[in-house]
Amino acid sequence: MSTCATVSRDLDEPISGTAATATTWLLLEQPGPWGAKALTSSHLDPALGGALETAATNTGVRIALIRRPGRHADPAPSRVRQVYAAHTVPGNAWLHSATTTDPRQLLDLDFAALGAGDPHSFGSALGGRAHTGDPLALVCTNGKRDRCCALLGRPLAAELAASGVEGAWEVTHLGGHRFSPTVLVLPYGYAYGRAEAHAVKEILQGVQEGRVVVEGCRGASAWERPGQAAELAVRRATGEYATDALSVVRTEGGAPRWEVTVAHTDGRHWRVIVAQGASLPPRPESCGASVLGAPARMDVVAVRELTTAPAR
């Protein structure tokens, strides 16, 4: 069976610079089935889902629903739900957790502050505190958005859970169906495509060691897509894999060409030229697409270390 994921893999479509962008992720456990736009088409009150979407607009916060891998029965609505918030910007990356029996409590959050990296409202509104368990591996499984996410994502999530990965969750939407199975790892916010269980376990081990695995990496959600590609290119060029070592400090230009400045915590800087191209030949960008497309790709043209730090 040909799917958007098999076509993308067969054409060797590059995945660097394709991650969803968010400085902060807010995750709410919601059992049961999910529709294509899960916040307003699940067993969550659609009015609440719409209000949360509005509250998060232009704050840097991206909201997603999560559920444990397996069968998706929806027990009594008063059940205790898990909630996570994760900020992904290097130097201030954190993952906090809480529980709630009333998802309406999420409307008491200060979304602008969360997006800027301040977790205080997560504590005051939900009693949240720093997460002390394993890092999270969020596998997109929402087949209502694209069948690849269900066909490829659900078995991966189930395999991770069955093998003892305590941080494994199904998640509603990470973008890039054609790179399924797609995985987001928190707290650092690196996304992966075409993932396999053994690779996800290596990635999670790296998170615990403060190390980024670049194989199969789509990018860090803290950066816009040119920055994602640039940061990964610098990591590959220098062999620097420490999670907090690199930051995107400047992006100049616009499509189809950007100059991205990547900084190291030790003071080094790199200028990375990123060009937007089209993935050819045309292919289905999702299984539900009625026409073929040429999805944008981020190609790194040059990586040059600067001899003097650029002016801010």
Side-chain angles (χ1 to χ4, degrees):
M1 177 177 61
S2 179
T3 65
C4 66
T6 57
V7 172
S8 175
R9 185 188 294 268
D10 289 346
L11 293 176
D12 198 24
E13 181 182 350
I15 65 175
S16 177
T18 66
T21 56
T23 54
T24 301
W25 291 82
L26 179 63
L27 309 170
L28 170 64
E29 184 179 3
Q30 175 57 60
W34 298 331
K37 295 184 178 180
L39 273 179
T40 54
S41 55
S42 68
H43 287 185
L44 183 69
D45 176 5
L48 172 60
L52 289 170
E53 283 185 332
T54 298
T57 301
N58 297 324
T59 64
V61 177
R62 186 177 176 111
I63 306 174
L65 302 181
I66 58 174
R67 63 192 176 198
R68 283 299 188 182
R71 300 185 66 181
H72 300 135
D74 190 2
S78 62
R79 70 169 302 224
V80 175
R81 301 166 188 242
Q82 185 68 48
V83 187
Y84 294 105
H87 189 62
T88 62
V89 176
N92 186 35
W94 47 258
L95 173 61
H96 287 205
S97 64
T99 57
T100 184
T101 57
D102 183 5
R104 289 174 295 182
Q105 288 182 303
L106 273 66
L107 291 174
D108 295 328
L109 294 170
D110 184 336
F111 283 84
L114 282 176
D118 179 355
H120 284 93
S121 71
F122 193 76
S124 60
L126 297 168
R129 58 188 62 191
H131 176 65
T132 57
D134 292 342
L136 304 185
L138 307 168
V139 183
C140 184
T141 62
N142 191 352
K144 293 296 185 180
R145 291 194 69 96
D146 192 280
R147 62 179 176 171
C148 287
C149 298
L151 290 172
L152 301 174
R154 288 193 64 189
L156 173 62
E159 183 178 354
L160 291 173
S163 64
V165 177
E166 295 183 3
W169 290 87
E170 298 186 9
V171 68
T172 47
H173 184 47
L174 299 177
H177 325 291
R178 62 193 184 279
F179 304 123
S180 294
T182 60
V183 180
L184 176 73
V185 177
L186 294 175
Y188 297 110
Y190 283 88
Y192 293 83
R194 303 173 185 143
E196 298 179 1
H198 67 88
V200 175
K201 292 178 182 179
E202 180 185 344
I203 291 162
L204 293 172
Q205 181 63 37
V207 172
Q208 293 179 316
E209 297 170 358
R211 172 176 53 84
V212 177
V213 173
V214 299
E215 289 77 14
C217 191
R218 299 174 61 194
S221 72
W223 316 127
E224 296 295 327
R225 292 183 176 183
Q228 295 172 11
E231 187 234 21
L232 289 174
V234 171
R235 288 193 181 280
R236 292 188 176 97
T238 62
E240 176 56 84
Y241 303 120
T243 49
D244 280 340
L246 299 179
S247 293
V248 175
V249 297
R250 179 184 296 174
T251 301
E252 299 173 292
R257 186 180 179 88
W258 298 265
E259 290 191 3
V260 181
T261 304
V262 178
H264 195 290
T265 51
D266 66 10
R268 287 179 292 164
H269 289 76
W270 292 264
R271 181 68 47 75
V272 184
I273 307 301
V274 180
Q276 179 177 302
S279 296
L280 297 174
R283 79 285 309 276
E285 295 188 54
S286 68
C287 288
S290 58
V291 296
L292 300 181
R297 52 185 283 172
M298 294 292 152
D299 294 318
V300 172
V301 177
V303 178
R304 179 171 62 91
E305 185 173 356
L306 302 178
T307 55
T308 59
R312 292 292 183 96

